[in-house]
Amino acid sequence: MPDVHSLTINFLHELQVTLNLAFRSIIPRLEDRIPITLHVAPVMLMSYIPFMFMAYLARREDTYLIRLLLLPTVITTTLWSSFTHYWSVPILNVYNWGQCLSGIAIVGKAIQYAFTPEGMLKVDEIRPGVVKGKAVHRNGMANGYVKDAQDDRPSPSILGPWFWDIIELAHSLRGQRFKFGRGVHIPKHDKPLERGLFLKATLSSFVRNFLLLDILETILKLFPGVGSISGGSMFYYNLPPLQRYAVSTCIHMLTGSALLAGFRMVFELSALIAVGLFEDSPVFWPPVLDDPWSAQSLHELWAIHWHQFLRQTFYVYGGYLGRKIAGHAGLVFGMFIASGLYHEAGMYGMGGGWHWAPVVFFASQGPLLFLERMWRKVTGRRVGGWPGQLWVYFVMFILAQPMIDSWHQRGLGGGLVIPPLFSPTRHLLSRTGYFTNSNDGLCMSYIFNN
């Protein structure tokens, strides 16, 4: 008769095997993934229906238990769609990163919707659809619909106001319309709020950022290894140390600038669609960033100048638990650790293994913010002015280099962002013979090999 120890060992082994099989049925090994084709695209889109239904329930009263029961389905279908399917064309590998990041963010939103008992309330509501001080609904139910300024747009006659509830909540990142967005810094508007003028200014901004991103992406693809599909390090060890780190800093700054231009370009395109096609109010489309180059402390950078789109995501994944463990300090540390894990977990979709550099960089922001607070306590002055700006630049341009390098090693710089057909910069350079669309990098390679 087997002893208790043997039974325990066997049980734990069987449990490990079962959990691994369950995990791999949702997030398979890279070699077991399914290429994205026109045949699987409808299945991928359908897998997001549970999340949209979750958003619908979060805007309805007395749905707390249903949302909790629905949550496992939302988590599994969303992660399965994001991690099981992949862009098989090598130059499109970077899209796998974005796809996985989106899936993780959607799961974070679903967790928040499920575990908020009262539902996701707008800023003037006491219950979903019930305005403070008024016992009437705004959700299109039989007992009436109260229209306010943020609902001043045409509503589809068949779908009704409930459809806008889903769209608004599911796509709300900074939460300007909702209570969960209280305390989030919103940059001041830099465009006219009259619809026609806003669209004109937004289109102009979209074109500027498109051209800037095109130039920066093209330049990045001119660096050996970094600009290739398979990826490569931005630290060229055949160069002397001074030249090596000068080049890596240049690549690092080009990458960061390209990411910022990409943020703005996608945001402006979204604003054009929302305001131009769906007649959303320009009021809800302030700038995506608040001049991060001018930040004079890390506190300013992360709380004010950087985008706040993933604030709730990081709170769900790390901030809430951190606050339970260690109060406000735990909240800050937890959110930054969650940020690092979020960026790296999304990178799993590109292959190339796991790198700890992104996790270490984001996790280090907590201690660095603590140092800024200690500086204030010791000196009586906040970190600021030009020394504070240099401090921010040191952290972002020097300490962040291993993180950016880990992304380039896995092919970030060689991925397709703007197709060559639509790239004015590459058309111009191809005529001079300094650039080819083979994406093998490079006419500049002799500079780094000699």
Side-chain angles (χ1 to χ4, degrees):
M1 181 176 180
D3 57 19
V4 176
H5 179 71
S6 299
L7 289 174
T8 303
I9 295 290
N10 291 334
F11 171 76
L12 292 177
H13 175 72
E14 292 295 331
L15 180 62
Q16 179 185 5
V17 171
T18 302
L19 291 176
N20 182 67
L21 290 174
F23 176 77
R24 288 304 178 185
S25 68
I26 301 171
I27 302 179
R29 294 179 177 84
L30 296 177
E31 60 271 18
D32 297 329
R33 294 180 299 174
I34 302 172
I36 294 176
T37 64
L38 291 177
H39 297 290
V40 303
V43 178
M44 293 181 64
L45 293 175
M46 289 177 62
S47 67
Y48 291 101
I49 292 178
F51 170 71
M52 302 305 286
F53 184 50
M54 175 74 82
Y56 170 80
L57 292 174
R59 293 290 300 143
R60 295 297 175 270
E61 293 186 65
D62 302 323
T63 60
Y64 181 45
L65 180 59
I66 302 176
R67 282 181 272 130
L68 290 176
L69 294 174
L70 179 63
L71 182 60
T73 300
V74 177
I75 294 175
T76 54
T77 56
T78 302
L79 293 181
W80 174 83
S81 177
S82 301
F83 284 86
T84 298
H85 304 88
Y86 76 109
W87 300 84
S88 57
V89 179
I91 200 172
L92 301 181
N93 191 24
V94 69
Y95 293 174
N96 292 316
W97 187 30
Q99 179 176 290
C100 292
L101 288 176
S102 298
I104 299 171
I106 288 173
V107 169
K109 292 171 77 71
I111 293 173
Q112 181 186 21
Y113 300 168
F115 284 97
T116 304
E118 67 275 14
M120 304 306 295
L121 304 180
K122 292 187 176 181
V123 292
D124 58 348
E125 293 178 339
I126 56 174
R127 297 193 304 274
V130 180
V131 182
K132 186 182 300 183
K134 298 179 181 179
V136 290
H137 286 259
R138 298 188 310 160
N139 57 15
M141 296 299 183
N143 59 343
Y145 175 72
V146 177
K147 188 175 181 179
D148 62 13
Q150 64 192 32
D151 292 322
D152 188 19
R153 56 176 175 257
S155 178
S157 58
I158 297 178
L159 298 176
W162 62 266
F163 174 76
W164 292 113
D165 269 351
I166 297 175
I167 297 300
E168 285 178 353
L169 180 57
H171 295 87
S172 180
L173 297 174
R174 289 183 284 198
Q176 292 163 267
R177 292 178 168 97
F178 295 89
K179 288 187 177 181
F180 74 82
R182 287 183 297 192
V184 176
H185 173 76
I186 303 297
K188 293 181 179 179
H189 285 277
D190 58 356
K191 302 173 189 172
L193 297 182
E194 191 277 322
R195 184 170 177 271
L197 295 176
F198 176 85
L199 290 173
K200 182 178 179 180
T202 301
L203 178 61
S204 175
S205 178
F206 169 78
V207 173
R208 288 197 307 271
N209 284 287
F210 173 87
L211 294 175
L212 177 59
L213 176 60
D214 181 44
I215 293 171
L216 295 172
E217 182 194 1
T218 302
I219 294 174
L220 281 171
K221 284 178 169 52
L222 295 177
F223 288 93
V226 169
S228 67
I229 298 173
S230 57
S233 176
M234 67 183 192
F235 297 109
Y236 298 102
Y237 290 99
N238 57 321
L239 295 177
L242 185 60
Q243 297 179 33
R244 179 192 315 155
Y245 291 108
V247 171
S248 69
T249 302
C250 176
I251 295 174
H252 179 83
M253 295 180 68
L254 288 170
T255 304
S257 299
L259 290 173
L260 293 181
F263 287 157
R264 291 190 175 103
M265 182 188 75
V266 173
F267 182 79
E268 303 294 19
L269 178 60
S270 301
L272 286 172
I273 295 172
V275 178
L277 295 182
F278 296 102
E279 300 190 15
D280 196 11
S281 172
V283 172
F284 296 108
W285 292 91
V288 60
L289 295 159
D290 198 352
D291 190 17
W293 301 104
S294 66
Q296 296 183 357
S297 70
L298 292 177
H299 278 87
E300 282 190 9
L301 175 67
W302 297 121
I304 297 175
H305 296 281
W306 199 245
H307 75 82
Q308 303 296 309
F309 286 168
L310 297 172
R311 181 175 181 264
Q312 285 299 118
T313 301
F314 301 149
Y315 177 77
V316 168
Y317 284 129
Y320 178 80
L321 179 61
R323 188 177 66 177
K324 289 290 186 181
I325 296 174
H328 179 73
L331 168 70
V332 173
F333 277 66
M335 290 185 70
F336 278 112
I337 292 173
S339 176
L341 292 172
Y342 168 80
H343 285 87
E344 187 57 27
M347 184 59 75
Y348 172 84
M350 289 188 66
W354 181 277
H355 287 243
W356 284 102
V359 182
V360 170
F361 171 75
F362 282 108
S364 70
Q365 300 308 296
L368 293 177
L369 289 170
F370 178 76
L371 287 178
E372 288 191 351
R373 178 167 291 189
M374 291 300 298
W375 170 268
R376 181 184 177 186
K377 287 185 177 181
V378 172
T379 66
R381 294 177 297 176
R382 294 178 180 271
V383 175
W386 66 264
Q389 207 159 11
L390 290 178
W391 160 247
V392 173
Y393 289 172
F394 170 75
V395 172
M396 299 307 294
F397 297 153
I398 304 301
L399 298 187
Q401 286 198 25
M403 173 181 69
I404 299 298
D405 181 60
S406 75
W407 291 348
H408 281 309
Q409 288 185 42
R410 287 171 283 182
L412 177 65
L416 178 67
V417 179
I418 297 177
L421 180 64
F422 303 108
S423 171
T425 306
R426 270 167 277 186
H427 280 299
L428 179 63
L429 290 180
S430 64
R431 292 178 180 275
T432 65
Y434 286 100
F435 187 86
T436 64
N437 289 330
S438 64
N439 209 287
D440 291 328
L442 309 171
C443 302
M444 290 173 59
S445 60
Y446 74 92
I447 297 176
F448 301 97
N449 294 326
N450 295 281

